[in-house]
Amino acid sequence: MNYPIPLSIKAKNYKCFGELSFEGFDDFHRINVVIGRNNSGKSALLDLIGYTLQPSDITSLGYKGRTPDVYLTKPLLDEEIRQVFRENQSGGGIGGNFYDFGKRWIDKPITVSLKPNETTFVAVEPAFDNENITSEFGPQLAKVFVSPIRGRLFRRLLADRNILPEGDSGPPSLTEGGQGATNTVQHFLHKVGRDPKLVEEKLLRALNEIF
C-alpha cells in the first residue's frame, strides 16, 4: 500500500475533544508519532483507528454527555463511482449519461459519518450541482464507501505491558526478559558508590542507539 494512506479520521464530542473543532488524523504514514501531555487525548486518538475498523457504540464516551461524531474523508474511487453513476443510465435530474456526470468526482474527497450500523453521506468536493442529486446519490455513495484501511488489524499495546513490580531482595540479577533491570540500576546508583554517569549517560546513550 502506498503511503501516506489517503484517509482522514476526525472526531468531535468524543472523550476529551469538545464540539468546537474536529481532532484526529489527516492521513497515515508507515510510522506515526503522537506527542502530547498526559490526558491530552493521545489514547483517544489511537482508539479512533480501532473504531474505524470495527465501529461500536461509543455513546458513553461523549464529551459532557454529547453524542460523539466520527467522520471519514478519502478520495472517491472509480469503482465506487461506477456502482452509483452507471454507464447504462441517463436522464433524471442529471439529464445526460450518469457516468459522464459522476466521473468528475473520481479522486475527489468524500466525507461520511461513521456509526456502528450505518455510514451516512456528509459531503463531496466539489458539491453536487443541486440538492436533488445530493439526496439521491449521496446515500448510495456512502453505502459503497470503501475505507483504505479495510481488512487491516488494530492492536493496541498498553504502556505498562510486561512490567512487573520488583521487590528489594538481596543482590540484583537480570533475566533475559529484562526483569531485575530496575533493581540493578537502583543498586548501582544508590548502594555501591559507583560513578552515576555510567548509568545516567553511557547506559542511556546505548539504549537510545538500540532504540
Side-chain angles (χ1 to χ4, degrees), residues 64-115:
K64 294 185 177 179
R66 299 185 179 99
T67 301
D69 296 303
V70 178
Y71 291 87
L72 307 184
T73 302
K74 61 100 182 184
L76 274 165
L77 305 176
D78 181 54
E79 64 190 72
E80 295 167 321
I81 291 293
R82 288 180 181 275
Q83 291 182 69
V84 175
F85 299 97
R86 300 185 181 276
E87 291 183 282
N88 60 355
Q89 287 184 289
S90 60
I94 290 177
N97 180 271
F98 280 19
Y99 179 71
D100 286 341
F101 173 85
K103 68 183 181 182
R104 291 182 289 166
W105 280 271
I106 296 174
D107 293 329
K108 297 296 192 296
I110 177 174
T111 299
V112 298
S113 171
L114 188 64
K115 289 187 168 51

Side-chain angles (χ1 to χ4, degrees), residues 119-172:
T119 302
T120 305
F121 176 80
V122 175
V124 290
E125 293 183 25
F128 289 130
D129 295 354
N130 60 60
E131 184 59 35
N132 291 333
I133 294 177
T134 300
S135 61
E136 180 178 357
F137 294 98
Q140 296 183 50
L141 286 173
K143 188 175 181 179
V144 301
F145 182 94
V146 177
S147 170
I149 60 174
R150 183 178 64 177
R152 293 190 169 236
L153 297 177
F154 175 75
R155 294 291 181 265
R156 193 173 187 280
L157 303 181
L158 299 178
D160 57 353
R161 61 192 180 279
N162 297 332
I163 296 178
L164 301 174
E166 297 180 8
D168 188 2
S169 56

Side-chain angles (χ1 to χ4, degrees), residues 10 22 56 58-59 137 143 183 192 198 204 210:
K10 297 293 180 70
F22 285 99
S56 58
I58 56 174
T59 304
F137 294 98
K143 188 175 181 179
N183 274 348
V192 297
L198 290 174
L204 287 180
I210 294 171

Side-chain angles (χ1 to χ4, degrees), residues 15-17 36-44:
K15 289 192 174 181
C16 61
F17 303 128
R37 293 173 294 182
N38 289 342
N39 299 316
S40 62
K42 301 186 297 297
S43 296

